[in-house]
Amino acid sequence: MAINHNTYVLLLVLCVVAATVVVSSSIVKEQTGGSFKINNIPYHRQINDYNCGGASLEMVLHHYGPDVDQRTGIDIARTTSATGTNPIDIVRAAHYSHISTPPPMGAHGYPFPSYLPAHGSGISPHRDYGYAAFVQHQLVPGACWASELALITKGLNTPAILLMHYAREDLGGHYRVFFGHNEDTDTFLLLDPWDRSNLDRGVISAQPLQPRVVSYSREDFCFLWNYADHSSLFNTSYGNYTAVIISPWHLDLKFYINEKGNVTVECRIEYPGPFNALAGHEKEQYYLAKNVIVNIELPKGLRSLTANPTFPSMAPGEVKTVKWDVYAENEMDTGVVYPSWIKVKAYGTISGYIRARQGWLPNTVYPAYDYSDQIGGEAQVWF
């Protein structure tokens, strides 16, 4: 087996990199035994008294990539002061990509039209794809699945958006971001977007200011999470113990020498989810990704002998593995410049459906609509 000099040098560099870093799209978490805590989640305060869902979504999206202004999220998720944010609309907002079109709002228009994205451009300078997202529900009706949630969140390294009661003294709905569990004390860690006085909500509490980070015992956690809304008027029916789990596709890269003397770049691609029983009218939607594209991006001096693969479809929970035969060119003027990188992107097109619901103003209706989006993920390694 002959190995050209440039390829040999490349292999040595990649081996050093792979031995010292995790070449993955996964998020690094802090773990001690069965306990875990997901670090570096940017905190965002809700901008008004009804956008706790949008603020929670902003924290999760900003954890994975560029920040998304809450006013943009309000328009995409069609959040209202009457109904807040529907969990299925959080899923739709997480899917939002460069092929999206703004949702129909009816005759009265958008609450923040200047923040309305046009084909994804308002979410970030360019949002190639959204993320996998599902509304999750309990397996057994009425049962708190806190332990299962902790296992799912820990395994995915992803925070979860939970719809809960605000407090024992205030049983209204409120979104928080679950990001950790202490197994020794059996307490659950959450980010609370309210960040205001409890008195502003009419809650008399020994803790006047609602802290940004809250810790609940299992009893308190399950009590607060046992929230349900079955409003036929607002078309916002969802059951107890509802969670929205959002995650980019997981891509893991590794490198090795092949029988041709070149370097094989291998990528494991996982479309995460669904993670539990699906909730509400999400049961009607599976979010099968179609026309899946996998692209490798190489720097100057590296060339792939393998075409980028495509797949007709990829189902939630499915895993695919792809490989490229890569070599370093011999010509000195096109040699690899260090430091450099290899990046792999994978994405596919999903379809969704959002039902009609009450609009922003009294006696108005947001129409039902269908949508298509690209969702996916990427991994990159520098060497």
Side-chain angles (χ1 to χ4, degrees):
M1 178 174 64
I3 306 176
N4 74 54
H5 175 73
N6 282 7
T7 299
Y8 180 73
V9 172
L10 170 65
L11 178 63
L12 288 178
V13 174
L14 290 175
C15 286
V16 170
V17 170
T20 56
V21 301
V22 177
V23 187
S24 171
S25 61
S26 301
I27 304 299
V28 176
K29 64 181 185 301
E30 177 182 303
Q31 261 185 235
T32 306
S35 302
F36 76 97
K37 183 174 70 174
I38 300 171
N39 295 315
N40 303 320
I41 302 174
Y43 181 84
H44 290 281
R45 184 178 192 253
Q46 61 189 83
I47 61 173
N48 51 38
D49 61 356
Y50 59 83
N51 199 41
C52 53
S56 297
L57 174 66
E58 183 178 12
M59 289 188 234
V60 173
L61 294 184
H62 199 183
H63 181 53
Y64 292 127
D67 187 20
V68 178
D69 193 284
Q70 282 183 51
R71 288 161 289 196
T72 298
I74 285 174
D75 283 350
I76 296 173
R78 304 197 299 185
T79 299
T80 75
S81 57
T83 64
T85 308
N86 195 329
I88 196 67
D89 286 299
I90 293 179
V91 168
R92 191 273 169 276
H95 286 159
Y96 208 90
S97 71
H98 74 102
I99 69 170
S100 300
T101 55
M105 300 293 277
H108 60 282
Y110 299 89
F112 298 101
S114 62
Y115 288 86
L116 184 67
H119 295 286
S121 61
I123 286 189
S124 67
H126 184 80
R127 188 174 173 86
D128 288 332
Y129 41 77
Y131 302 136
F134 298 90
V135 180
Q136 304 297 147
H137 208 25
Q138 73 271 15
L139 288 170
V140 180
C144 179
W145 52 288
S147 296
E148 291 84 355
L149 175 71
L151 286 173
I152 291 167
T153 306
K154 177 181 176 182
L156 286 172
N157 304 330
T158 183
I161 299 173
L162 307 187
L163 180 57
M164 314 175 78
H165 296 295
Y166 179 76
R168 287 184 178 269
E169 305 86 357
D170 179 353
L171 299 182
H174 185 58
Y175 286 98
R176 296 181 175 95
V177 177
F178 170 64
F179 71 98
H181 176 241
N182 186 313
E183 190 177 58
D184 295 332
T185 59
D186 199 19
T187 51
F188 295 79
L189 298 173
L190 300 101
L191 295 170
D192 191 309
W194 178 245
D195 192 32
R196 292 169 173 84
S197 169
N198 281 314
L199 294 175
D200 290 347
R201 290 184 60 106
V203 176
I204 306 299
S205 171
Q207 200 170 36
L209 182 66
Q210 178 72 3
R212 293 182 173 187
V213 178
V214 292
S215 176
Y216 293 123
S217 67
R218 180 177 292 266
E219 179 184 357
D220 287 341
F221 178 79
C222 286
F223 176 88
L224 295 175
W225 197 19
N226 187 15
Y227 177 87
D229 185 348
H230 300 290
S231 172
S232 59
L233 174 62
F234 297 147
N235 206 358
T236 56
S237 179
Y238 32 81
N240 314 65
Y241 309 110
T242 293
V244 180
I245 300 180
I246 300 167
S247 175
W249 288 10
H250 292 177
L251 276 65
D252 295 284
L253 299 177
K254 67 179 181 179
F255 315 90
Y256 54 88
I257 201 74
N258 60 38
E259 67 279 1
K260 299 177 183 177
N262 295 321
V263 173
T264 292
V265 178
E266 181 175 312
C267 183
R268 179 185 183 275
I269 304 165
E270 179 186 3
Y271 177 177
F275 316 105
N276 203 331
L278 297 180
H281 78 274
E282 172 118 346
K283 294 176 183 177
E284 305 165 10
Q285 307 188 74
Y286 191 54
Y287 303 123
L288 178 71
K290 299 181 179 179
N291 302 318
V292 176
I293 297 172
V294 185
N295 286 330
I296 189 169
E297 298 179 11
L298 299 171
K300 180 182 178 181
L302 294 186
R303 180 174 297 178
S304 174
L305 299 174
T306 311
N308 285 322
T310 60
F311 303 100
S313 65
M314 192 164 179
E318 187 173 356
V319 174
K320 294 184 181 296
T321 299
V322 298
K323 301 177 182 180
W324 293 267
D325 191 2
V326 174
Y327 74 103
E329 297 174 320
N330 284 313
E331 293 81 357
M332 294 300 294
D333 60 341
T334 59
V336 182
V337 177
Y338 303 105
S340 200
W341 48 262
I342 293 175
K343 178 187 288 186
V344 175
K345 295 182 177 181
Y347 53 90
T349 302
I350 55 96
S351 297
Y353 169 73
I354 301 296
R355 293 180 175 180
R357 57 183 296 225
Q358 176 174 321
W360 181 264
L361 300 175
N363 302 315
T364 61
V365 175
Y366 288 153
Y369 72 99
D370 299 294
Y371 68 91
S372 293
D373 267 309
Q374 285 183 343
I375 63 171
E378 62 184 58
Q380 178 173 297
V381 60
W382 288 85
F383 57 91

